[in-house]
Amino acid sequence: MKATDPAVPDVVACLDVGSPLKDNVGWAVLHGGRSIHGRQLPKFTDQLVLHLKNGLSMALGFECPLYIPKRDDPMRMTRARLGESGVNWCGTPGGSVLATGLAQVNWVLRHLAQGVSKLTSSTRWKEFRDRSVQLFIWEAFITQGEGAVMRDELPHTRQASGHERDAVCGAMAFSARASEQPELVSDLDQEPAISLI
C-alpha cells in the first residue's frame, strides 16, 4: 500500500491508560518514520493538537475498553465480548482499566476539541478511509504475549517506561495493520454494543 493511500493515517498515536498519580501512563506518537513517547498527558495532547492543526490525518488508540456488549440475556451481560479471549471487559484488570480509561479518554478528547477547531472524528474506519473525518479513534489491547511487536525489538525505547513501550508497540502494530488491511477488520466480532467513546 502506498503512503498516499487515504487508509494510511499520517499520524498514529496510542495512549496506554493508567494512573498519572502513580506514573503509570504511557503514550506514543508515530509520524514520518519517527516515534516519540512520554508519560505526561499534557505533552501528549500538545503533540496531537500540533499534528491535527497542520491538517494531518490521525488514528488515535486508547488501551481500554471503548464499548461494552448490550445483551438481552442477563446471564451473559458481563461475559467477554465476542472474540475476546482471556481478559474480560469487566473483570480484573478490564474493569479498572475501563473506569480509568473513561476519565482519560474524556480528558484527551476535551483537550483536542479545545485545541483544534472543526475537528471531525469517528470510530468507523470507512469514514476515515473515505476522508470524511480527520481523526479515527480505535481501541488498543496491548499484551506482550500476543502483540505484533515485542518490546525488546524497540531499541529506541530502552530508557522508556514499560507503559511508554506498550504505547509504542500499540501504535506500531496499528500502523502496520492499517497499511496491510485497507478494510481494517476488528479482532472482535460484531454484536450490539454501547459505545463509551
Side-chain angles (χ1 to χ4, degrees), residues 31-48:
H31 170 61
R34 215 173 134 236
S35 166
I36 60 168
H37 48 84
R39 294 189 295 250
Q40 303 301 317
L41 285 172
K43 290 183 180 179
F44 180 54
T45 54
D46 288 349
Q47 287 292 315
L48 302 183

Side-chain angles (χ1 to χ4, degrees), residues 11-93:
V11 178
V12 176
C14 185
L15 176 66
D16 185 36
V17 168
S19 169
L21 287 174
K22 295 181 180 178
D23 204 22
N24 288 340
V25 176
W27 57 264
V29 178
L30 308 181
H31 170 61
R34 215 173 134 236
S35 166
I36 60 168
H37 48 84
R39 294 189 295 250
Q40 303 301 317
L41 285 172
K43 290 183 180 179
F44 180 54
T45 54
D46 288 349
Q47 287 292 315
L48 302 183
V49 165
L50 177 69
H51 290 307
L52 290 167
K53 276 186 168 181
N54 286 330
L56 300 178
S57 65
M58 180 181 294
L60 170 59
F62 295 97
E63 198 252 336
C64 64
L66 295 180
Y67 76 90
I68 60 174
K70 186 168 60 175
R71 299 175 176 150
D72 292 328
D73 181 354
M75 302 307 285
R76 293 187 59 247
M77 73 173 66
T78 59
R79 297 196 61 182
R81 298 176 298 179
L82 295 180
E84 194 170 43
S85 62
V87 178
N88 190 330
W89 68 269
C90 65
T92 305

Side-chain angles (χ1 to χ4, degrees), residues 1 16 49 61 175 181 197:
M1 190 175 289
D16 185 36
V49 165
S175 185
Q181 297 180 9
I197 196 72

Side-chain angles (χ1 to χ4, degrees), residues 18 26 29 33 53 60 70 85 102 113 117 119 125 132 145 150 152-153 157 159 166 172 180 188:
V29 178
K53 276 186 168 181
L60 170 59
K70 186 168 60 175
S85 62
L102 286 175
S117 62
L119 178 61
W125 183 248
S132 299
M150 297 303 287
D152 57 358
E153 296 174 15
T157 65
Q159 302 302 315
D166 283 350
M172 289 177 68
E180 294 165 1
L188 302 180

Side-chain angles (χ1 to χ4, degrees), residues 133-152:
V133 298
Q134 183 181 9
L135 176 65
F136 174 71
I137 301 171
W138 53 281
E139 176 182 325
F141 180 67
I142 304 165
T143 176
Q144 193 170 12
E146 296 181 29
V149 181
M150 297 303 287
R151 289 180 186 169
D152 57 358

Side-chain angles (χ1 to χ4, degrees), residues 159-188:
Q159 302 302 315
S161 72
H163 297 286
E164 290 171 271
R165 287 192 301 272
D166 283 350
V168 171
C169 287
M172 289 177 68
F174 182 92
S175 185
R177 181 175 274 190
S179 47
E180 294 165 1
Q181 297 180 9
E183 297 304 318
L184 200 65
V185 179
S186 173
D187 289 333
L188 302 180

